[in-house]
Amino acid sequence: MTALPLEKAGEEAAIAGDARGEATRQRILDAAQRLFSEHGSNGVSLRAITAEAGANSAAANYHFGSKTGLLEAVFARHAAGIAEERDTMLRACREEIGRPPLLEQIVRAFLEPGMRGQHGGHGFSRFRGRLLAENTEQTRDLYARYFNDSTGQFLEALQNALPDLPAHDLHWRFHVLLGAMVYTLANPGRIQVLTGGECDPADPDQALDNLVPMLAQLLRNPAMTNTKSPNSPHELNTNQA
Amino acid sequence: MTALPLEKAGEEAAIAGDARGEATRQRILDAAQRLFSEHGSNGVSLRAITAEAGANSAAANYHFGSKTGLLEAVFARHAAGIAEERDTMLRACREEIGRPPLLEQIVRAFLEPGMRGQHGGHGFSRFRGRLLAENTEQTRDLYARYFNDSTGQFLEALQNALPDLPAHDLHWRFHVLLGAMVYTLANPGRIQVLTGGECDPADPDQALDNLVPMLAQLLRNPAMTNTKSPNSPHELNTNQA
DNA sequence: GTCTATAGCTGGATAGAC
DNA sequence: GTCTATCCAGCTATAGAC
């Protein structure tokens, strides 16, 4: 025990097959992800999390410093991977046949890494949706740190693919895209209730197959030649159609 | 003071100009709405709410029974009014020139009552967005009780206006519409950050002026003749364009 | 109807054994 | 690295004076 290289100790323990031998740290992260996504960051106690992980609050504080630290750790575990895969897929779009890339490809590159299985799977998706909805200073900060660069690149790519669409329109369409993504991830179940379960946004495959073409089409629609300037407050749609 | 009709006492007090004379009940509801929408239902204590209202937790429990009761009261205060105004506007669409009604009118009838000033204003909007995102059993139940009927009518009206659109497509488009609405109400500020504030979903007029035509257009798009059945998992867009 | 005071818990975080 | 035990702050809800 004395000669063990210190920086390897944790890894070694993780490799030992026994479930109990699996690093406590990982089990806490998993439990936290599950419970945070279900009840929100203020809806669960550290005690509940560590109990589910078969540990106790002292262990959590040892590994993550505080409850806030744990939340950030859960986020950080997969967030960077998603941003990276998004960028990789976006780069792949650019280098393919059919340049300029299809809008469908860009949209899919944005949505898929966060919705499919690779980076924490469905569990992390729900967690992410929940956090976005929570909208505290901490979560805004986390999103900014991990996703601003990547998301900015997508806005740019979309603007390039749609040179005739005014930036203001593009931004609002992208806002709708984000809303659709977050709402799908958070999944309040409204559409299931309203349609008797026919529609299931909790299934990532069904969600992507439906969202990608729908949102690409939304982006592709001609600019709404609104009769009003972006800021003029009142309506009266002089719509001749 | 002795001869005051009991059932009028609260109202009288509300009319007396002094801010302290305004019914405590109302001040607690206002404070709760503001703080719940900012920090979530688990992120604020009853003490914080009543302190902001210039009262104390005992008063809140007297009026609402419990913290949960207070949350429901805040929701109930304006929710029914929104559902009613939605239905009124929908009926007005049907009886107007240009029947079948324009999609824009239907979409506006759905969005405007909840986003404009009438029913609790912007404060209640944020509260509602926040609650939807919280997605607990209580909030799901509240939404179902107050909005299922009305929202079902809108789905029906949209299906009538779009007889050629398969129900499955309609449901997913409506899901996106709900997502855009909720995301706008909850307002995590992502699009402001990403566009340097050029786009402001917190302004109800700007939001409606942009969302209504965009979402109407989304609904109006031709059905995506997906080469895959709704459930087939894998991609390969045989898109010849 | 509104207050003060407090009962009764539960929470996050830490000390210190192993 | 993980545990038990514990401190103490903060919470909801209630009792009882006014």
Side-chain angles (χ1 to χ4, degrees):
Chain A
M1 285 287 176
T2 55
L4 253 183
L6 287 173
E7 67 278 12
K8 275 284 190 173
E11 209 173 298
E12 297 276 343
I15 289 167
D18 177 30
R20 215 86 218 352
E22 202 197 289
T24 302
R25 192 190 143 89
Q26 291 300 318
R27 294 201 318 273
I28 294 177
L29 282 172
D30 290 341
Q33 178 173 295
R34 216 186 65 69
L35 291 173
F36 278 149
S37 64
E38 197 159 335
H39 307 287
S41 50
N42 287 316
V44 210
S45 65
L46 215 43
R47 287 162 128 91
I49 293 170
T50 49
E52 166 137 340
N56 57 70
S57 65
N61 279 309
Y62 170 78
H63 284 292
F64 308 105
S66 69
K67 193 185 180 184
T68 315
L70 171 57
L71 184 79
E72 172 150 358
V74 174
F75 189 86
R77 181 162 60 147
H78 300 299
I82 290 179
E84 254 173 55
E85 196 190 344
R86 276 183 179 165
D87 293 346
T88 305
M89 287 182 75
L90 182 59
R91 236 175 292 117
C93 290
R94 291 210 189 92
E95 289 159 9
E96 253 179 36
I97 43 160
R99 70 183 70 165
L102 285 177
L103 284 173
E104 277 79 0
Q105 294 178 307
I106 303 179
V107 171
R108 183 172 280 273
F110 188 72
L111 295 182
E112 188 167 312
M115 301 182 73
R116 271 264 174 68
Q118 305 91 328
H119 306 284
H122 191 222
F124 187 65
S125 295
R126 287 177 58 216
F127 172 80
R128 213 159 49 99
R130 180 63 183 243
L131 270 216
L132 246 189
E134 291 213 351
N135 189 18
T136 63
E137 195 177 329
Q138 190 194 6
T139 64
R140 279 193 300 270
D141 177 60
L142 284 173
Y143 265 83
R145 290 213 320 266
Y146 283 88
F147 289 120
N148 270 8
D149 283 356
S150 165
T151 306
Q153 287 210 333
F154 274 85
L155 264 174
E156 218 180 293
L158 289 171
Q159 185 70 82
N160 288 341
L162 297 162
D164 294 334
L165 189 68
H168 182 261
D169 288 48
L170 175 66
H171 294 159
W172 269 96
R173 291 176 191 199
F174 195 70
H175 172 76
V176 170
L177 184 154
L178 288 177
M181 180 185 74
V182 172
Y183 196 65
T184 302
L185 295 178
N187 189 22
R190 290 298 292 152
I191 200 69
Q192 290 97 315
V193 168
L194 293 164
T195 65
E198 184 260 334
C199 205
D200 184 14
D203 170 9
D205 288 316
Q206 188 185 152
L208 283 169
D209 286 347
N210 283 280
L211 288 179
V212 169
M214 213 187 325
L215 295 171
Q217 190 59 253
L218 174 77
L219 289 163
R220 190 149 36 211
N221 278 333
M224 296 294 128
T225 46
N226 242 329
T227 45
K228 43 195 170 285
S229 78
N231 287 345
S232 113
H234 290 304
E235 21 67 83
L236 193 53
N237 243 336
T238 42
N239 197 331
Q240 313 74 334
Chain B
M1 286 284 175
T2 56
L4 253 183
L6 287 175
E7 70 277 13
K8 275 287 193 171
E11 207 173 302
E12 298 274 344
I15 291 168
D18 178 28
R20 217 89 216 350
E22 201 196 293
T24 302
R25 193 189 142 89
Q26 290 301 318
R27 293 200 317 274
I28 293 177
L29 283 172
D30 290 341
Q33 178 173 295
R34 213 185 68 69
L35 290 175
F36 278 148
S37 63
E38 197 157 337
H39 308 286
S41 51
N42 288 315
V44 210
S45 65
L46 215 44
R47 287 159 126 89
I49 292 169
T50 48
E52 167 138 339
N56 58 70
S57 67
N61 280 309
Y62 170 77
H63 285 291
F64 307 105
S66 68
K67 191 185 179 183
T68 316
L70 172 57
L71 185 78
E72 172 152 356
V74 174
F75 189 87
R77 181 160 60 147
H78 301 299
I82 289 177
E84 256 173 55
E85 196 190 343
R86 276 183 181 166
D87 293 346
T88 305
M89 284 181 77
L90 182 59
R91 237 175 290 117
C93 290
R94 291 209 189 91
E95 291 158 9
E96 253 180 35
I97 43 160
R99 71 183 68 165
L102 286 177
L103 284 173
E104 277 79 359
Q105 294 177 308
I106 304 179
V107 172
R108 184 172 278 273
F110 187 73
L111 295 181
E112 187 165 314
M115 300 183 73
R116 270 265 173 66
Q118 304 93 328
H119 307 284
H122 191 223
F124 187 64
S125 296
R126 286 178 58 213
F127 173 79
R128 212 158 50 97
R130 180 63 184 242
L131 271 216
L132 247 190
E134 291 213 351
N135 189 19
T136 64
E137 197 177 329
Q138 189 193 9
T139 64
R140 279 193 300 269
D141 176 63
L142 284 172
Y143 264 84
R145 290 214 320 267
Y146 283 90
F147 289 121
N148 270 8
D149 284 356
S150 165
T151 306
Q153 288 211 334
F154 273 85
L155 264 175
E156 218 181 293
L158 288 172
Q159 184 69 82
N160 288 341
L162 297 162
D164 295 334
L165 190 66
H168 183 261
D169 288 49
L170 175 65
H171 294 159
W172 269 96
R173 291 176 191 199
F174 196 71
H175 171 77
V176 170
L177 184 153
L178 288 177
M181 181 185 73
V182 172
Y183 195 66
T184 302
L185 294 178
N187 190 23
R190 289 298 292 151
I191 199 68
Q192 290 97 315
V193 167
L194 293 165
T195 66
E198 185 259 336
C199 206
D200 184 12
D203 170 9
D205 288 315
Q206 189 185 150
L208 283 169
D209 287 348
N210 283 280
L211 289 180
V212 169
M214 213 187 325
L215 295 171
Q217 191 58 252
L218 174 77
L219 288 162
R220 191 149 33 210
N221 279 333
M224 295 296 126
T225 46
N226 242 331
T227 45
K228 44 193 169 281
S229 78
N231 286 349
S232 114
H234 288 305
E235 18 68 80
L236 192 55
N237 243 333
T238 43
N239 197 329
Q240 308 83 327

